[in-house]
Amino acid sequence: MEQVFRCVRPVIFQDEASGLPAIPGTGFFVKLFGEIFFITARHVVDNDYDFNDEQLVIQYSATSNRGVPIAEVHRFRSTDENDTDHVDIVIYKTDRARLEMHLFVGSPPYDFSGKDCLRNYSRGMRLSFSGLSPDIGEYDYENRDYRIALSCGDLSYLEPESLLRSIHIGRVDVNSSFPDFDGLSGSPLFYFSSSSERSASSQFAGMLLRGTRSSGIMLFMEAQCVFNYLLAFFLRELPEPVARKKLEDLVKWYHPDIGYEYRPRGTISASNFSIRVLDGEYQRLL
């Protein structure tokens, strides 16, 4: 479990004028088809701090102050202005040519093949997360000394959010010592098949979006939705037959253990990357 959560990082904006950091939330690294991405909730980076992507510092690891180089940034739009939670995501594609992989020093990205994507949720299922906890961090701004703390927790799956696409509801078991939920937005969720460290296998279950400590309720984006956005980096603007062939070739090259049996859930269409999911067809406008 601890090994899986080594992909988690705080989202840090560096204010060049004051030299002080702003740390509004959490994100995580994933590796897919040879590329490395950093993912967080869009509202974490598009916020009242009025910072921009150039001021974002995504650390290679907790022991490294170096930031990873970014090549592309993608935000997404909804076709329904009343349903936008399923696009509350931003993905940063790192610059592979300038990456220094040795700086990840034991905190590598989560190796995401798609087969590890949780697709079926059931009531009472326990899902685990790790994210930023400003309440228990130490920030000595005068001496520029910061200890950024992460907290781990579990939520119990309740049900899909009936009015929102690809969004689900969970309840976090909170007690008096559990920190506030501020900072948890953008945290990855994982399902572990066993509580035993030795025998547990993990599946990516989604990304936390928002919630309140007083209610104990958290909303999260489902895993398949996050995975579909990642696929868009590889398949956008390709006609469906070409996109499907490219995906099969990528899977066979990077994940030969999956081979021909792998298929994305849904259909890939042309330029707007339309994906048919269980709750109907909607579009990711790229």
Side-chain angles (χ1 to χ4, degrees), residues 33-106:
F33 301 144
E35 301 286 355
I36 293 177
F37 302 89
F38 184 76
I39 304 172
T40 186
R42 181 170 178 168
H43 74 265
V44 168
V45 295
D46 295 348
N47 51 41
D48 295 335
Y49 286 105
D50 198 28
F51 289 134
N52 56 52
D53 292 325
E54 286 70 34
Q55 294 170 281
L56 181 65
V57 179
I58 309 167
Q59 297 169 288
Y60 276 97
S61 72
T63 59
S64 172
N65 290 325
R66 295 275 300 280
V68 299
I70 300 300
E72 295 180 48
V73 183
H74 277 250
R75 291 167 171 83
F76 305 87
R77 292 183 297 154
S78 175
T79 57
D80 181 354
E81 63 181 15
N82 296 316
D83 181 8
T84 59
D85 284 81
H86 66 282
V87 293
D88 189 2
I89 185 173
V90 58
I91 301 179
Y92 297 86
K93 181 174 177 287
T94 64
D95 188 337
R96 183 164 57 173
R98 295 192 293 133
L99 271 180
E100 298 180 65
M101 295 299 296
H102 67 279
L103 292 179
F104 282 106
V105 289

Side-chain angles (χ1 to χ4, degrees), residues 12-15 18-23 49 51 139 141 144 146:
I12 303 173
F13 286 100
Q14 191 66 40
D15 187 342
S18 67
L20 301 178
I23 312 171
Y49 286 105
F51 289 134
Y139 306 93
Y141 292 108
R144 301 182 186 279
Y146 322 111

Side-chain angles (χ1 to χ4, degrees), residues 31-37 96 99 111 234 250 254-255:
K31 182 179 181 181
L32 178 65
F33 301 144
E35 301 286 355
I36 293 177
F37 302 89
R96 183 164 57 173
L99 271 180
D111 197 354
F234 300 91
L250 285 167
Y254 288 99
H255 301 285

Side-chain angles (χ1 to χ4, degrees), residues 178-226:
F178 196 91
D180 195 83
F181 288 2
D182 288 346
L184 291 178
S185 296
S187 301
L189 271 174
F190 289 94
Y191 169 72
F192 294 95
S193 62
S194 168
S195 59
S196 169
E197 184 75 23
R198 290 178 178 272
S199 60
S201 62
S202 63
Q203 286 183 287
F204 176 66
M207 180 180 69
L208 294 183
L209 293 182
R210 53 189 169 89
T212 61
R213 190 184 186 284
S214 59
S215 68
I217 295 297
M218 272 282 194
L219 298 186
F220 69 91
M221 181 182 296
E222 67 183 23
Q224 185 68 42
C225 186
V226 176

